[in-house]
Amino acid sequence: MIYTYKTTQQLACSLAEAWTFFSSANNLSDITPPDMNFTVLSQFEDDKIYEGMKIDYTVSPLFHIPLKWQTEIIQVDFEKSFTDFQNKGPYKLWSHHHIFEPNAAGVLMTDQIDYELPFGVLGTFAHRVLVKKKIENIFDYRRIKLNQLFAATR
């Protein structure tokens, strides 16, 4: 079963600041809960996002079990949106679409994630008891960190 998680957040920054921050893989670990042990393994000479960019990570989403994860940037519309798609990792499907809309207060950022777990009925059960709440917690943490980060730059 494919699930969708969608969230929006108002950022108190310019569109250029938001785009620069989110399109850099090096900033991901700063906005991911520490208990996930999220580490970006890829190193980029130029940190600008582009279609076809592959990013390798290690992450421990559940029970501190480290997993390798690779996403690929499959869509970029400069300062408007980008999509990362899991090539290798814990999900059967993971597609994360990031949208940036400038407004009078800064930037409204929308995250939409379409995802599917492996293992059929066991995956459905895991989603109900673990995964759904874990994804919500990740984005709750991210919301707090982004509020702190962008408030500090003002």
Side-chain angles (χ1 to χ4, degrees), residues 1-108:
M1 172 179 258
I2 296 175
Y3 303 97
T4 298
Y5 178 81
K6 186 174 183 178
T7 186
T8 60
Q9 182 171 359
Q10 180 65 47
L11 302 175
C13 65
S14 71
L15 180 58
E17 288 172 304
W19 183 262
T20 298
F21 183 84
F22 284 97
S23 62
S24 170
N26 295 319
N27 291 325
L28 286 172
S29 55
D30 294 339
I31 58 172
T32 303
D35 67 327
M36 293 190 63
N37 298 316
F38 187 89
T39 305
V40 178
L41 301 174
S42 300
Q43 295 191 4
F44 302 99
E45 209 171 288
D46 181 356
D47 205 23
K48 292 182 182 165
I49 194 169
Y50 58 90
E51 288 181 19
M53 180 182 206
K54 292 182 181 169
I55 308 163
D56 292 300
Y57 321 86
T58 57
V59 62
S60 302
L62 297 171
F63 312 119
H64 304 288
I65 299 168
L67 300 172
K68 290 184 178 182
W69 195 347
Q70 182 187 75
T71 58
E72 180 175 352
I73 305 302
I74 61 168
Q75 173 270 325
V76 177
D77 189 357
F78 181 71
E79 290 191 348
K80 292 181 182 172
S81 69
F82 69 91
T83 304
D84 57 90
F85 185 85
Q86 175 192 279
N87 286 339
K88 299 174 192 167
Y91 293 89
K92 184 174 180 181
L93 166 73
W94 178 273
S95 180
H96 184 177
H97 189 58
H98 310 252
I99 303 167
F100 304 89
E101 299 171 277
N103 58 32
V107 177
L108 182 65

